[in-house]
Amino acid sequence: MPYLTKGKKSEIFDEKYFKGEKGSYLGGYNFDQEYKASIPLAKTFFRLGVRKALDAGCATGPLVKAFLDVGIEAYGVDVSKWAIENSPVAERLRWLDLDEDKLPFPSEYFDLVTMKFVIEHLLYPEKALKEVFRVLKPGGSLYIVTDKPENFTGGQVGHFNVRSRKAWLDLLKSIGFIPSKLFYMRFVAYLSFEKVHSGSGPIARKFLLHKMGLFGKVIRWIFKSAIYIMDKEKSTHLLLQKS
């Protein structure tokens, strides 16, 4: 693996990256859209008892703002200096390299750490995950979303570690994280509900489902669940707890 300083990594994820001139954000990165999409996830974790959360690899902090707005004490860290400096919640964020730096938080501080499309960008994910393990409370949760190898084209910017679901699970278990099917089922159920409840969406508006009471909610829940399942097929979703 090549050695890259924090400054060099920050240059990879610069203004051009977030404006869609390079990398994965075709059409540009929109904070308001990302924030709106993050609300159901934030509400889901609040329902699951999360009161302190860290978004590791937070970009400009839309999920951090969503956490704050539903009543969760939240912070974020990211290697992109541009993202931190251009965040509406910059005071809650820290410029930090997960490959090199320790997290600036006490041990056993958080109920939850999220890493959405972050871990594939790390040169040394085991080191970063051990730090995440340190700052999580016993029984705390780690939520990861990452690219699947079969969907990786090789053209994405800064993708140093694209691994299979099994490979990530093996690494996480070796550190001390435990998968829980029951907890994951609760998470999916709450998230499906919150996705329906948070807004009608274009399909619902087209067919006036938001005006059909319980029947409309059921139809929207089915639709949202189908979308969630399809989204899962495009990426790996992992939800584990600290032993």
Side-chain angles (χ1 to χ4, degrees):
M1 289 288 184
Y3 174 76
L4 295 172
T5 64
K6 181 166 66 171
K8 288 294 183 183
K9 290 177 187 174
S10 184
E11 289 175 7
I12 294 174
F13 306 105
D14 58 6
E15 182 177 5
K16 288 184 178 180
Y17 177 84
F18 283 95
K19 290 190 174 180
E21 296 176 26
K22 65 178 182 180
S24 305
Y25 291 119
L26 299 177
Y29 178 94
N30 186 294
F31 179 90
D32 291 337
Q33 289 179 1
E34 296 290 334
Y35 165 75
K36 184 177 180 181
S38 297
I39 288 291
L41 184 63
K43 288 184 175 179
T44 294
F45 280 119
F46 186 84
R47 279 175 168 266
L48 290 169
V50 170
R51 295 299 180 267
K52 291 183 179 179
L54 172 67
D55 189 20
C58 62
T60 56
L63 181 54
V64 172
K65 178 169 170 49
F67 281 141
L68 292 170
D69 288 348
V70 302
I72 296 173
E73 178 187 339
Y75 303 89
V77 297
D78 201 277
V79 77
S80 172
K81 192 173 184 180
W82 183 91
I84 300 296
E85 292 176 346
N86 288 273
S87 169
V89 288
E91 72 280 0
R92 311 293 297 191
L93 312 184
R94 302 290 183 272
W95 182 36
L96 182 147
D97 183 359
L98 290 167
D99 277 323
E100 299 290 340
D101 300 326
K102 287 195 172 185
L103 293 170
F105 304 100
S107 297
E108 300 184 357
Y109 188 76
F110 292 105
D111 303 308
L112 169 72
V113 175
T114 54
M115 302 179 77
K116 293 185 64 182
F117 296 106
V118 172
I119 200 166
E120 65 272 15
H121 294 295
L122 299 180
L123 292 168
Y124 312 108
E126 183 174 3
K127 183 177 185 298
L129 290 170
K130 285 181 178 179
E131 264 297 279
V132 167
F133 189 87
R134 178 185 68 80
V135 300
L136 274 174
K137 297 176 182 178
S141 302
L142 169 62
Y143 178 56
I144 292 175
V145 184
T146 186
D147 293 316
K148 287 186 174 181
E150 58 265 34
N151 295 329
F152 179 62
T153 63
Q156 295 96 325
V157 172
H159 283 57
F160 305 116
N161 252 306
V162 180
R163 305 187 188 184
S164 68
R165 179 185 182 87
K166 182 180 183 304
W168 286 124
L169 278 173
D170 288 345
L171 174 57
L172 289 161
K173 289 177 182 177
S174 72
I175 293 170
F177 290 100
I178 301 172
S180 169
K181 290 184 178 180
L182 179 60
F183 185 70
Y184 188 74
M185 287 174 64
R186 289 177 62 207
F187 166 77
V188 172
Y190 284 144
L191 183 59
S192 297
F193 173 81
E194 291 297 347
K195 283 188 173 184
V196 171
H197 192 65
S198 64
S200 56
I203 298 298
R205 285 196 298 272
K206 182 177 179 180
F207 296 104
L208 300 179
L209 294 178
H210 59 298
K211 296 184 178 181
M212 295 185 183
L214 180 60
F215 174 75
K217 284 190 176 182
V218 170
I219 297 300
R220 286 156 59 196
W221 183 86
I222 292 171
F223 175 76
K224 291 279 189 176
S225 297
I227 292 295
Y228 181 71
I229 291 169
M230 286 189 287
D231 285 345
K232 277 189 66 180
E233 292 176 352
K234 298 176 185 176
S235 54
T236 296
H237 291 238
L238 300 167
L239 181 63
L240 299 95
Q241 294 177 296
K242 178 176 177 177
S243 57

